Structures are given as structure tokens and as C-alpha cells.
Amino acid sequence: RIEDETADAIIHDIRGLLRSFKIKTYDEDTGYGLLRHVLVRRGFHSGEVMVVLVLGSPILPSKNNFVKALRKLHPEITTVVLNVNDKKTSMVLEKETVIYGKGYIEDTLCGCTFRISPKSFYQVNPVQTEILYMKAIEYAGLTGKERIVDAYCGIGTIGLIAASKAKEVISVELNRDAVRDAVTNAKRNDIKNVQFYNADAGQFMVEMAEYRADQKKNQVPDATKSGKKATPEGNVDVVFMDPPRAGSDEAFLSSVIRLAPKRVVYISCNPETLARDLKYLTKHGYQAKECQPVDLFPWTKHVETVVLLSKGEVDSKKIRVEFSLEDMDMSEFQDGATYPQIKEYVLEHTGLKVSNLYISQIKRKCGIGVGKNYNLPKSEDSRQPQCPQEKEKAIREAFKYFGMI
């Protein structure tokens, strides 16, 4: 019910042509036969249609006549590509040769025109994709001043659509064919504030984070002065991430933490890996602010989801709060942290248990008030145990953590 009717009709008629041209289908078990797969891609707005014939060997008998017969049945086909895959593999596409047309199709999405090659990723439901991408860009809260990273960018869709609302876009993608399309798409739409990098998104982000750390230590020369093309400067305001079903690895996620963008917009096609990755990000300082599922795959269990994460900054709004000091135990506000908080911190970080007496002794040493007659001995000749050096060090570390010294 969700497959494209034109694509279905083309595949049906190719089955009929196989008999006429005496072409055998490939048997995955024996390795015999010629035609392994048929891939049909159709531009929703442009109407352009690409047919990719995946073969087990390089030669398609009477290929010109085959294309003529196919186009006679379907004149809407604008390009036909042969893709040769002679390996025993689950990968569908390998080496390709264009036998009719330009070897790619174009389509329009969110006002931009995109070139789509056989190996390039493009969402199969363009109507819902526009809703998904516009929601993602809305979540980014762009003002025209932001530096964006578009990770797993594919043919550049999200980054190019967002470019008009941002200062700069850095897009990274491992698929070389997709990057080639993305560069063409930027030129096609006259977008000049986007840079594309053909690299693994995780490794690229790690290098950006390391570059930023080195810059802070003044260990990295200015790339513009040295004339070398270095990893982009690490300051980033927004990260768009649209990973495959496996989600992101910890190297990528940890690099996001190190880069510390104000917002992360996560687009996912797998709720399970999304939940796993959100757990990591929220554990390291981000908060999931908003979440919107978008149904790109009707009548199936699959769903795309876009999530906004931020560093948890408070909006600059004044909030009026009224409370009575008479009803409050002011001991809870002594010198930055309560005694129970200090005890808990010391126990968690050192495994040591400390008493109120020891804490008050170290407070006095540090010049921190402990209140009148707090923890004094009951009689003048009684002797108080003194805080051991190990516990004194742990208490002082707690004071530093709570900003008391």
C-alpha cells in the first residue's frame, strides 16, 4: 500500500521483458543467473524516474533494445543505470554504468532542488519528509548567527535547507557518491555558506572536539595564516544528527559532549537506538526538551522521530517567587552546602564517612562560620577527637566542589 504505483508498474513490466529477452534472474544460493535486483527511484515533484538494474555479471544482452522496450512501455523513465555486483554479499549496489539518460534524477524538497544518484540516500516519503525537516529546523531555533554541523548529511538535504537561516553549515558524510551529489546540490541552489567533508561522522566529530581543545591550549596554528586545510574550528552552536538505524557510537556522542553545542537536533528512524543515545546525552548534561514523531511509513511499525536537546539554559524571563523566611530552616543555607550534602559528596567520591564534628572543625580551619556553640564539647575538660588528615582532605575537596573555599 505504501509503494509507489509507477515503480510497481515498471517492475511488473521488467518481469515480462525478462522472458522476452531470455534473461535469467540471479539465484543467491547457487550464484547462477544475471539480474539480481531492480531499484526504481522517482522524484515526487519532478516526476523523473531512475531504473537501476543490478546484474551478477557485466554484460546485459541486447541492452539497447532492452532499454528501448522498457521506455516504450514507460516513457516517464528518464535514466537507466547498470550496476554490477558479482560478489556474494548482502550489499545491493556496487560498480555502476549509465546506459541511458544522465545517471541521476532531481527532486525538490523544502524549496531546494536535489540531485539523487543511485547510491545516495533520499527519504522515500517526500511529503512527510518536508514536515520532518521543517520541524528539525524549527527546533534548531536559528537566527542567522549559528554555526551548524550536519552529521550524516547524505546528499546535504537538512544542511542546505537550513543554510539560509544560519551563518555557516559544516556537513559530513561517509558515502562518497552522496557527498558528490551534495556539492552539486549546493551549487545548483546557489548556496555558498556550506562546507562538505567526505569522512566518517564519528571520527570527524572527534577530530573537531580535539581541535577545539588544542585551540584552547593555544597549540593549534591559525589555519588561515598557515594556508593549510585543517579540521574546522571546534566552536559549534547546533548539531543536526540523522544517523542510520544503528544510531550513533559512543565516540560520536562523546565528541558532541566535548563540542558542547547549545542545541542538538536528533533525527532517528529507530526508537530503540534513539532511546539508547538519548540516555547517554542526558547523562552528560543535555536535556531532551521536545520530541515529535513523524509517520513516514504508514501501516508499518516504523516511525521517524525528531528530538530537541539543549544544555538546559534558563530562558531570560523574570520569575516572581514569594516565600516566608519565618517558615524556613536557615541551617540548610549555611555557607553553600548542608552537612548532609557534604557527607554524601565525601562518601560518594572517597568512600569515607565523616561526622558533623569533623566538618565543623575543618570549617573553622577554613574560616567558615559554623554557628554559635555548634558542636562544642559538653564540658571544659572533655577532649574532642580531631579530624584525621585523610578525611580533612576529603572535606576540603567537598568545600571546593560546593564553592565554599
Side-chain angles (χ1 to χ4, degrees), residues 15-78:
R15 287 197 184 101
L17 289 175
L18 293 180
R19 290 188 290 271
S20 302
F21 283 82
K22 298 181 180 180
I23 296 172
K24 292 185 177 181
T25 54
Y26 183 86
D27 188 305
E28 295 287 344
D29 295 323
T30 64
Y32 291 105
L34 181 61
L35 185 65
R36 295 186 71 164
H37 307 282
V38 177
L39 168 66
V40 181
R41 307 187 82 163
R42 176 173 172 264
F44 182 79
H45 292 284
S46 67
E48 295 183 2
V49 177
M50 173 198 300
V51 174
V52 182
L53 303 173
V54 184
L55 309 179
S57 61
I59 299 174
L60 176 66
S62 304
K63 64 180 180 182
N64 292 332
N65 290 332
F66 187 91
V67 170
K68 287 180 182 178
L70 181 58
R71 289 203 69 250
K72 185 175 181 180
L73 295 169
H74 294 279
E76 68 272 20
I77 294 174
T78 54

Side-chain angles (χ1 to χ4, degrees), residues 351-368:
L352 299 172
K353 292 183 179 181
V354 296
S355 64
N356 289 353
L357 175 63
Y358 288 164
I359 295 173
S360 64
Q361 287 177 0
I362 309 309
K363 274 191 171 186
R364 287 193 183 94
K365 283 189 178 184
C366 295
I368 302 172

Side-chain angles (χ1 to χ4, degrees), residues 105-241:
I105 61 171
E106 291 185 339
D107 201 22
T108 302
L109 190 69
C110 298
C112 293
T113 300
F114 294 98
R115 165 176 163 160
I116 308 159
S117 295
K119 295 181 184 178
S120 297
F121 174 79
Y122 191 70
Q123 293 281 10
V124 298
N125 187 333
V127 176
Q128 289 292 82
T129 300
E130 290 197 342
I131 295 173
L132 177 72
Y133 287 174
M134 294 312 293
K135 177 58 68 174
I137 293 169
E138 175 191 323
Y139 278 174
L142 302 177
T143 65
K145 300 177 181 179
E146 289 80 13
R147 196 162 190 257
I148 294 173
V149 169
D150 179 14
Y152 315 96
C153 74
I155 61 174
T157 46
I158 298 174
L160 292 173
I161 293 167
S164 63
K165 299 178 175 65
K167 179 180 179 181
E168 181 184 1
V169 179
I170 299 166
S171 298
V172 56
E173 169 61 47
L174 183 61
N175 184 323
R176 187 178 297 274
D177 295 273
V179 174
R180 190 180 297 113
D181 283 349
V183 172
T184 300
N185 292 334
K187 294 177 180 178
R188 178 77 167 75
N189 294 279
D190 195 28
I191 297 172
K192 299 177 181 178
N193 61 333
V194 181
Q195 302 174 58
F196 294 98
Y197 292 84
N198 181 204
D200 175 77
Q203 183 59 37
F204 183 86
M205 292 284 284
V206 169
E207 291 176 6
M208 280 194 76
E210 290 174 351
Y211 188 91
R212 183 188 186 196
D214 290 342
Q215 276 191 320
K216 287 185 176 181
K217 297 176 184 176
N218 297 319
Q219 294 179 356
V220 177
D222 188 335
T224 57
K225 293 179 182 178
S226 65
K228 296 179 180 179
K229 185 177 180 181
T231 302
E233 177 188 352
N235 295 324
V236 173
D237 300 299
V238 178
V239 170
F240 285 103
M241 50 186 292

Side-chain angles (χ1 to χ4, degrees), residues 132-142 148-152 158 162 236-243 248 252 256 261-268 274 278 281 286-287 289-292 305-310:
L132 177 72
Y133 287 174
M134 294 312 293
K135 177 58 68 174
I137 293 169
E138 175 191 323
Y139 278 174
L142 302 177
I148 294 173
V149 169
D150 179 14
Y152 315 96
I158 298 174
V236 173
D237 300 299
V238 178
V239 170
F240 285 103
M241 50 186 292
D242 187 2
S248 292
F252 179 93
V256 172
K262 295 176 183 177
R263 293 181 180 86
V264 176
V265 181
Y266 192 141
I267 299 172
S268 169
L274 172 65
L278 291 185
L281 291 170
Y286 279 91
Q287 295 180 9
K289 296 292 188 181
E290 293 188 50
C291 172
Q292 177 62 60
T305 311
V306 56
V307 180
L308 167 64
L309 299 106
S310 75

Side-chain angles (χ1 to χ4, degrees), residues 347-399:
L347 181 63
E348 182 180 344
H349 289 80
T350 67
L352 299 172
K353 292 183 179 181
V354 296
S355 64
N356 289 353
L357 175 63
Y358 288 164
I359 295 173
S360 64
Q361 287 177 0
I362 309 309
K363 274 191 171 186
R364 287 193 183 94
K365 283 189 178 184
C366 295
I368 302 172
V370 296
K372 187 177 180 180
N373 296 328
Y374 191 84
N375 275 336
L376 291 179
K378 295 180 180 178
S379 60
E380 292 183 5
D381 61 348
S382 64
R383 298 181 62 184
Q384 288 183 313
Q386 296 301 304
C387 182
Q389 187 174 358
E390 182 185 24
K391 292 187 177 183
E392 178 176 341
K393 181 181 177 183
I395 292 170
R396 285 178 179 270
E397 287 298 320
F399 288 174

